[in-house]
């Protein structure tokens, strides 16, 4: 499991997994592997963890946290946790827990 802060040094790795070309490009094998993106949000007053479609950069919000399942990539399998700059304290605290729970339940 890798944890990534929105403006941290490893944010480029997370964004590259989503296919954003303004950062270092991912390997061709990671582009072909299916990915799943999940949003962790408490904007409604309750914490929700829901799949986001499509799993690309346009789905990201700096006000939430996200879990990206890129574990189907045989070359570099990973589950990423991304915390947006404007994420609430609860989202920040829960992001890694939700990422770990997802990892244990799905892989």
């Amino acid at each position: 499991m890798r944890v990534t802060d929105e403006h941290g040094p490893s944010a480029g790795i997370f964004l590259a997994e989503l296919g954003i070309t303004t950062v270092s490009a991912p390997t061709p094998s990671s582009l072909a592997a299916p990915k799943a993106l999940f949003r962790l949000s408490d904007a409604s007053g309750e914490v929700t963890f829901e799949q986001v479609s499509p799993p690309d950069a346009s789905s990201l919000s700096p006000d939430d946290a996200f879990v990206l399942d890129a574990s189907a990539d045989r070359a570099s399998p990973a589950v990423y946790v991304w915390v947006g700059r404007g994420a609430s304290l609860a989202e920040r605290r829960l992001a890694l827990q939700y990422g770990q729970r997802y990892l244990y339940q799905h892989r």
Side-chain angles (χ1 to χ4, degrees):
M1 166 131 358
R2 297 176 185 160
V3 178
T4 304
D5 187 278
E6 179 179 10
H7 294 287
S10 61
I13 296 169
F14 181 90
L15 296 174
E17 285 294 332
L18 288 172
I20 298 174
T21 59
T22 58
V23 294
S24 59
T27 61
S29 63
S30 67
L31 288 174
K35 297 176 179 69
L37 182 65
F38 299 86
R39 177 191 313 261
L40 176 65
S41 179
D42 63 359
S44 67
E46 293 185 25
V47 176
T48 59
F49 185 70
E50 298 176 337
Q51 188 165 1
V52 178
S53 185
D56 61 24
S58 66
S59 300
L60 294 177
S61 166
D63 297 328
D64 294 315
F66 293 84
V67 173
L68 175 65
D69 178 1
S71 61
D73 179 3
R74 292 182 184 253
S76 180
V79 172
Y80 297 91
V81 175
W82 185 80
V83 178
R85 177 175 256 167
S88 71
L89 183 58
E91 292 165 346
R92 291 173 184 273
R93 287 182 176 169
L94 293 172
L96 186 57
Q97 291 176 15
Y98 273 76
Q100 287 175 326
R101 183 183 312 155
Y102 178 84
L103 180 65
Y104 293 132
Q105 291 176 348
H106 294 88
R107 298 293 165 194

